């Protein structure tokens, strides 16, 4: 009986341990995929609201399934001029938009999506301070909606870096805000001229810094190339000097032999020339002696007389 009870307790302990491990793993899985789960739920309730708006506005009873499957036609107004006419040309800068953060009960809650500003004050339970979407309030939120990420890095992602699918997600959020019965289109986001000046200054400064860095890199590369060339030239000169030193005894010997050969040839030519001149001199001298002998001297004259 004791053994049976022990075995039962052991099996119960293993089962309890398995349950605990399973619970821990499940909790870790929920934590790891919390962001993905939150995003799925966020899109589900957004699309459910879009279905209600379409049903209310257009009487479309069969739009829920296409919307949930992402196969619907997104209804948005993209023409900036028509949007301006719709709200008498009202515009706000980013600095002005940032003041509409809903931190007090009298402060409205504004959000911009692709430059279209919406008043979401009726949904403080979603967009108010401390709520899930408050990080997007008072900002241009298109990139954040596209990437499903509400961090400052996602908010500052340029629209040019978004994919077609991400841009379609942005249009779905505009579809929600424009057709919702509690949200109101306010106006368009405008660029502050002072911001443009600062942006141009920052751009010029960035370009100048980039040019300076590029010039410094080119100078470093040039100096490195000159240093490498100098080392190669010095090594080449050293090798040539070594080669000359190794060949110099032979060279001197050859040069000496060549000099001796040249000197011998010159001596021989000089000797030949001297011999010729001596022979010529002897012949001239012999001719002169004969002429002298033929001359009449005084003794010969007297004998003739």
């Amino acid at each position: 009986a004791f053994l049976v009870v022990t075995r039962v307790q052991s099996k119960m302990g293993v089962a309890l341990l398995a349950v605990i491990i399973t619970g821990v793993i499940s909790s870790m899985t929920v934590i790891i995929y919390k962001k993905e789960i939150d995003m799925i739920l966020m899109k589900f309730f957004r699309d459910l609201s879009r279905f209600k708006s379409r049903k209310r506005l257009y009487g479309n009873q069969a739009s829920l399934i296409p919307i949930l499957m992402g196969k619907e036609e997104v209804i948005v107004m993209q023409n900036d001029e028509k949007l301006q006419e719709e709200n008498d040309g009202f515009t706000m800068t980013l600095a002005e938009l940032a003041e509409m953060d809903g931190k007090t009960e009298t402060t409205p809650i504004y959000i911009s999506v692709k430059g279209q500003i919406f008043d979401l004050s009726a949904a403080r339970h979603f967009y108010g301070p401390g709520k899930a979407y408050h990080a997007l309030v008072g900002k241009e939120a298109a990139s954040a909606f596209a990437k499903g990420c509400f961090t400052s890095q996602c908010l500052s992602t340029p629209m040019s870096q978004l994919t077609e699918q991400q841009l379609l997600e942005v249009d779905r959020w505009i579809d929600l805000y424009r057709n919702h019965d509690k949200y109101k289109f306010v106006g368009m986001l405008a660029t502050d001229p002072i911001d443009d000046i600062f942006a141009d200054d920052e751009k010029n400064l960035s370009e100048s810094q980039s040019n300076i860095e590029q010039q410094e890199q080119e100078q470093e590369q040039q100096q490195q190339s000159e240093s490498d060339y100098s080392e190669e030239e010095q090594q080449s000169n050293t090798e040539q000097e070594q080669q000359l030193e190794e060949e110099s005894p032979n060279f001197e010997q050859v040069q000496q032999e060549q000099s001796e050969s040249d000197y011998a040839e010159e001596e021989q030519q000089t000797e030949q020339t001297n011999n010729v001149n001596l022979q010529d001199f002897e012949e001239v001298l012999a001719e002169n002696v004969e002429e002298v002998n033929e001359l009449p001297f005084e003794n010969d004259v007297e004998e003739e007389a």
Side-chain angles (χ1 to χ4, degrees):
F2 175 75
L3 292 175
V4 172
V5 172
T6 303
R7 289 179 180 177
V8 171
Q9 289 178 347
S10 177
K11 291 182 179 180
M12 291 178 63
V14 171
L16 180 61
L17 181 60
V19 170
I20 294 173
I21 293 174
T22 303
V24 171
I25 293 175
S26 300
S27 300
M28 292 176 64
T29 303
V30 171
I31 293 173
I32 293 172
Y33 293 101
K34 183 178 185 302
K35 178 182 176 181
E36 287 75 9
I37 294 172
D38 290 343
M39 184 57 58
I40 292 172
L41 293 175
M42 179 181 71
K43 291 181 179 181
F44 172 77
F45 288 113
R46 176 202 66 189
D47 293 339
L48 188 60
S49 296
R50 290 172 59 213
F51 163 70
K52 293 180 179 178
S53 298
R54 293 190 180 202
K55 182 179 177 181
R56 174 176 52 84
L57 294 173
Y58 310 111
N60 190 345
Q61 302 287 344
S63 62
L64 178 60
I65 301 301
I67 287 176
L68 293 178
M69 294 180 63
K71 303 296 183 181
E72 85 289 7
E73 180 181 356
V74 181
I75 303 173
V76 294
M77 184 182 293
Q78 302 286 7
N79 192 307
D80 291 346
E81 293 181 359
K82 291 182 179 181
L83 289 171
Q84 292 283 9
E85 293 175 358
E86 183 179 338
N87 209 57
D88 299 329
F90 178 77
T91 62
M92 297 183 72
T93 64
L94 276 172
E96 294 169 339
L97 178 65
E99 297 178 358
M100 308 302 174
D101 54 7
K103 289 185 176 180
T104 65
E105 290 297 329
T106 57
T107 304
I109 296 176
Y110 285 2
I111 189 173
S112 173
V113 185
K114 286 179 70 172
Q116 301 181 38
I117 302 173
F118 300 95
D119 185 351
L120 310 181
S121 301
R124 285 184 177 271
H125 53 293
F126 288 130
Y127 297 92
K131 302 302 180 181
Y133 299 98
H134 185 69
L136 307 178
V137 173
K139 300 179 179 69
E140 168 56 53
S143 296
F145 281 134
K147 298 174 73 69
C149 168
F150 298 163
T151 64
S152 57
Q153 183 178 3
C154 292
L155 282 165
S156 60
T157 301
M159 294 286 291
S160 59
Q161 296 182 6
L162 300 179
T163 64
E164 292 185 3
Q165 185 61 36
Q166 289 174 332
L167 291 173
L168 184 59
E169 278 298 310
V170 175
D171 289 340
R172 289 190 174 104
W173 283 99
I174 296 175
D175 184 1
L176 167 68
Y177 293 141
R178 289 197 62 83
N179 297 315
H180 201 282
D181 58 338
K182 294 183 179 180
Y183 302 149
K184 179 183 177 183
F185 172 70
V186 175
M188 297 297 295
L189 188 65
T191 304
D192 193 335
I194 297 178
D195 291 340
D196 287 341
I197 294 174
F198 285 131
D200 291 338
D201 291 340
E202 290 179 358
K203 181 180 179 181
N204 294 333
L205 179 60
S206 177
E207 291 178 353
S208 299
Q209 290 177 346
S210 178
N211 292 332
I212 292 172
E213 291 176 356
Q214 185 176 359
Q215 291 177 358
E216 290 178 350
Q217 290 178 356
E218 291 177 354
Q219 290 178 356
E220 290 178 357
Q221 291 176 355
Q222 184 176 1
Q223 291 175 356
Q224 184 66 32
S225 298
E226 292 176 355
S227 175
D228 294 341
Y229 176 75
S230 177
E231 291 178 358
E232 291 178 357
E233 185 177 9
Q234 184 177 3
Q235 184 178 1
S236 177
N237 292 335
T238 302
E239 292 176 354
Q240 291 178 359
E241 290 176 358
Q242 291 177 353
Q243 185 176 2
L244 289 174
E245 288 178 358
E246 293 175 355
E247 295 178 352
S248 59
N250 297 330
F251 176 77
E252 292 176 357
Q253 183 178 0
V254 171
Q255 188 176 16
Q256 184 177 0
E257 293 176 354
Q258 183 67 36
S259 299
E260 292 176 354
S261 176
D262 294 341
Y263 180 76
E265 290 180 358
E266 290 178 359
E267 287 289 333
Q268 186 177 2
Q269 290 178 358
T270 302
E271 185 178 356
Q272 291 176 355
T273 303
N274 291 336
N275 292 333
V276 171
N277 293 337
L278 180 59
Q279 185 177 2
D280 292 341
F281 175 74
E282 290 177 349
E283 292 178 354
V284 172
L285 181 61
E287 291 177 357
N288 291 333
V289 169
E290 291 179 356
E291 290 179 358
V292 170
N293 292 331
E294 292 177 356
L295 289 176
F297 292 99
E298 292 183 356
N299 295 329
D300 295 335
V301 173
E302 289 178 357
E303 289 178 358
E304 290 178 356

